[in-house]
Amino acid sequence: MTPHLSPIPLPAKSRLTGNSLRLSRDFPIYILTNTPAVLEVVGTFLEMLKPTANLQPRVVDNDAKEHAGLSVSLTSTSAGQGIESYALSITEKGVSVSASTTAGLFYGLLTFGQILFADDARSDELTIPCMEISDSPRFCWRGMHLDVSRHFPPTEFVKKYIDLLARHKMNVFHWHLTDDQGWRIEIKRYPRLTEVGAWRKEADGQVYGGFYTQQEIREIVEYARRRFVTIVPEIELPGHASAALAAYPEYSCTGRPFEVATQWGVFDDVYCAGKENTFKFLEDVLTEVAELFPGQYIHIGGDECPKSRWDNHDLCQERIRKLGLVNADELQAYFVSRIARHLRNLGKRLVGWDEILDGGAPEGATIMAWRNAQKGVEAAQSGHDVVMTPMSHCYFDHYQEKESEPKAIGGFTPLETVYSFDPVPPDLPQELARHVLGAQGNVWTEYMPDTNHMEYMVFPRLCALSEVLWSPHETRSLPDFLDRLKLHLKRLDRLHVNYRRLTD
Ligand code: ACM
């Protein structure tokens, strides 16, 4: 393996063609398809190239044919399969990136950026081996999640995280914005959600918390858009609602005063399924959320919702009777189906954790299989799209090594396990495989008190997952990946990422 053929994730097809290209450090960029969208992609690429030492490429007039440079063009037909595919050609004469979409161009430019990143030389010129790459991703949902409730990272970190996703050709950021320990998104109609729900009093008396204003969220959405990352916001319901109920206890069954939770776990007080006002509240919240996030998906949680309050509440029991439901699982299904109807009216699609299958998930819901991959098989068999995120392979809050690691929530999911993951389970009938949109790594932050620690838990496991999601299954090789990773970690060094060191 040569370092220059070492992008992560590995391109679908690449081959060295002999000879090499010499490129000046201020190489020219020729934009052969001069549209605002292409100019914007090149602008983002140049911004992302900045941490690479000692390179000053510049966009020049196409007529001013100078020495060898980078040509960027949109073509009318796809360079490979799929809307994210691209072709990258490096010959003695220059470099060309072409694709039929701006997303494809972005990924082609990123691959070239990684090849440039490989260069450590201090010489005036870069020497790059000639090669041909044609590339497209295996899956369309290449996701990473981040829980910002248990610990709260500032907007600058959220941007860094999105940037790092994009650099690994990941395209979905699942932003877990609400949970028992903090509500993190400003909602104008319900100001107490952040006045009260964003803050918790720790055992030592200190107040911990924070939230993102709608203006900050708009900026982050735009930052992500320029990197072809779609944000899927999560508003947890009907469980994991302590922070919201601390602000608005009237939407619980008991109406008791509550505090924003300071312990980790699962709490009995959840949104009341009997009161109409609860639905009005959640629909108002989701309407504001839908206006902020242009992507088609909104995640509504649905996991770990105890039913003890519903079992003992007159209004909930009355609803069960009136609707002819058999149990509280069916009441949760009713709850979720009402929310799904509202999201449809907003032009959005619902995503939920796999518990929303219990009692029947709404038609068209996308399921995140987290308890195990079998839940994903069940979802696909019921006609649902699935994002695979099983604890066995995709939980980056688990330990990375058996000993000498900082305290984590539990579990053991080392780099090799992540790399071995196949999002399409072997027992899934082939005709249902199209329901598997992809997979996602989950980052629950109970035991990640700061952003340094979040990075430590995410990297390099994210690198392995990016290859699971992008590269053809048959090209995957752990020794080859680990070899390329050594160089890739130097790229992460230049981006100031606090990754976990490899052990020999
Ligand atoms: C989950 O880990 N509770 C989705």
Side-chain angles (χ1 to χ4, degrees), residues 145-158:
H145 151 284
L146 184 65
D147 162 18
V148 297
S149 174
R150 274 57 177 262
H151 285 104
F152 175 67
T155 55
E156 279 319 303
F157 179 76
V158 177

Side-chain angles (χ1 to χ4, degrees), residues 176-195:
H176 185 81
L177 284 161
T178 74
D179 215 304
D180 298 297
Q181 294 80 8
W183 181 283
R184 305 281 177 231
I185 171 173
E186 178 189 23
I187 300 294
K188 304 256 190 217
R189 279 191 88 140
Y190 298 94
R192 286 174 59 81
L193 284 171
T194 45
E195 285 166 9

Side-chain angles (χ1 to χ4, degrees), residues 145 234 236 240 303-304 353-355 368 370-371 391 395 397 442 444:
H145 151 284
E234 180 179 353
E236 270 269 17
H240 286 295
D303 60 321
E304 300 180 320
W353 299 111
D354 60 49
E355 285 96 327
M368 273 192 182
W370 74 276
R371 288 178 290 180
M391 284 202 282
Y395 268 50
D397 53 345
N442 287 343
W444 302 103

Side-chain angles (χ1 to χ4, degrees), residues 342-397:
H342 182 66
L343 291 186
R344 262 197 305 279
N345 291 339
L346 294 170
K348 300 289 184 184
R349 301 180 62 178
L350 181 146
V351 189
W353 299 111
D354 60 49
E355 285 96 327
I356 71 167
L357 290 168
D358 307 341
E363 201 184 322
T366 297
I367 307 296
M368 273 192 182
W370 74 276
R371 288 178 290 180
N372 53 60
Q374 182 57 28
K375 296 289 173 196
V377 174
E378 285 167 34
Q381 281 167 340
S382 315
H384 294 284
D385 284 347
V386 182
V387 176
M388 286 292 188
T389 178
M391 284 202 282
S392 55
H393 294 79
C394 296
Y395 268 50
F396 294 176
D397 53 345

Side-chain angles (χ1 to χ4, degrees), residues 27-63:
F27 63 85
I29 300 177
Y30 306 107
I31 299 187
L32 304 185
T33 317
N34 202 333
T35 66
V38 173
L39 282 171
E40 183 179 77
V41 168
V42 171
T44 307
F45 166 65
L46 290 176
E47 206 176 302
M48 292 173 79
L49 207 54
K50 274 187 196 147
T52 309
N54 203 13
L55 281 176
Q56 303 86 30
R58 69 234 133 78
V59 176
V60 301
D61 197 326
N62 290 338
D63 300 332

Side-chain angles (χ1 to χ4, degrees), residues 31 35-50 59 102-107 109-110 159 162-167 169-171 217-231 294:
I31 299 187
T35 66
V38 173
L39 282 171
E40 183 179 77
V41 168
V42 171
T44 307
F45 166 65
L46 290 176
E47 206 176 302
M48 292 173 79
L49 207 54
K50 274 187 196 147
V59 176
T102 48
L105 283 185
F106 180 65
Y107 292 128
L109 290 168
L110 283 180
K159 287 184 183 167
I162 290 169
D163 183 65
L164 288 165
L165 265 61
R167 287 175 187 274
K169 301 192 173 81
M170 299 183 100
N171 64 351
I217 288 172
R218 281 196 196 92
E219 283 168 21
I220 288 170
V221 166
E222 169 61 10
Y223 183 90
R225 183 194 65 77
R226 290 193 53 162
R227 284 159 181 75
F228 294 85
V229 172
T230 300
I231 302 182

Side-chain angles (χ1 to χ4, degrees), residues 22 26 37 65 68 79 93 108 123 143 154 184 187 224 278 298 309 315 323-324 375 463 477:
R22 288 159 60 143
D26 62 348
K65 269 286 175 198
K93 295 210 177 86
S123 63
R184 305 281 177 231
I187 300 294
T278 310
I298 293 184
R309 294 289 182 265
L315 287 178
L323 294 170
K375 296 289 173 196
C463 310
S477 151

Side-chain angles (χ1 to χ4, degrees), residues 229-488:
V229 172
T230 300
I231 302 182
V232 177
E234 180 179 353
I235 304 297
E236 270 269 17
L237 57 90
H240 286 295
S242 305
L245 296 179
Y248 296 98
E250 58 269 40
Y251 305 127
S252 71
C253 291
T254 65
R256 274 205 294 262
F258 304 101
E259 296 208 325
V260 178
T262 55
Q263 309 284 316
W264 317 133
V266 171
F267 298 84
D268 286 333
D269 287 291
V270 302
Y271 291 118
C272 174
K275 296 176 183 169
E276 274 306 295
N277 280 350
T278 310
F279 292 98
K280 166 87 169 68
F281 163 75
L282 287 169
E283 288 174 8
D284 286 345
V285 167
L286 289 167
T287 299
E288 281 192 39
V289 170
E291 281 165 7
L292 284 170
F293 294 95
Q296 60 174 326
Y297 291 103
I298 293 184
H299 199 304
I300 56 83
D303 60 321
E304 300 180 320
C305 179
K307 307 295 187 307
S308 58
R309 294 289 182 265
W310 295 358
D311 286 339
N312 293 295
H313 186 221
D314 290 348
L315 287 178
C316 291
Q317 291 307 308
E318 190 182 313
R319 199 182 293 278
I320 286 181
R321 261 195 317 278
K322 275 201 181 143
L323 294 170
L325 307 177
V326 299
N327 57 26
D329 274 346
E330 289 197 356
L331 186 57
Q332 171 157 341
Y334 164 80
F335 199 117
V336 172
S337 74
R338 275 190 69 164
I339 298 297
R341 188 177 351 133
H342 182 66
L343 291 186
R344 262 197 305 279
N345 291 339
L346 294 170
K348 300 289 184 184
R349 301 180 62 178
L350 181 146
V351 189
W353 299 111
D354 60 49
E355 285 96 327
I356 71 167
L357 290 168
D358 307 341
E363 201 184 322
T366 297
I367 307 296
M368 273 192 182
W370 74 276
R371 288 178 290 180
N372 53 60
Q374 182 57 28
K375 296 289 173 196
V377 174
E378 285 167 34
Q381 281 167 340
S382 315
H384 294 284
D385 284 347
V386 182
V387 176
M388 286 292 188
T389 178
M391 284 202 282
S392 55
H393 294 79
C394 296
Y395 268 50
F396 294 176
D397 53 345
H398 288 179
Y399 283 100
Q400 310 187 61
E401 190 51 74
K402 289 214 161 118
E403 284 168 6
S404 310
E405 284 295 302
K407 183 167 174 58
I409 200 160
F412 178 54
T413 307
L415 183 66
E416 295 74 16
T417 301
V418 178
Y419 195 78
S420 72
F421 184 47
D422 187 353
V424 179
D427 51 344
L428 187 71
Q430 206 172 355
E431 69 276 14
L432 296 179
R434 71 189 157 81
H435 278 304
V436 180
L437 304 182
Q440 172 177 291
N442 287 343
V443 185
W444 302 103
T445 57
E446 286 95 332
Y447 295 92
M448 304 179 203
D450 55 41
T451 56
N452 245 355
H453 200 78
M454 292 176 194
E455 291 180 12
Y456 178 85
M457 298 303 278
V458 168
F459 292 94
R461 290 188 283 198
L462 179 149
C463 310
L465 185 63
S466 78
E467 197 143 314
V468 165
L469 288 166
W470 182 280
S471 309
H473 194 50
E474 59 278 10
T475 62
R476 268 199 272 154
S477 151
L478 181 64
D480 179 64
F481 168 72
L482 293 174
D483 213 14
R484 279 180 287 118
L485 187 58
K486 283 188 200 133
L487 173 78
H488 189 70

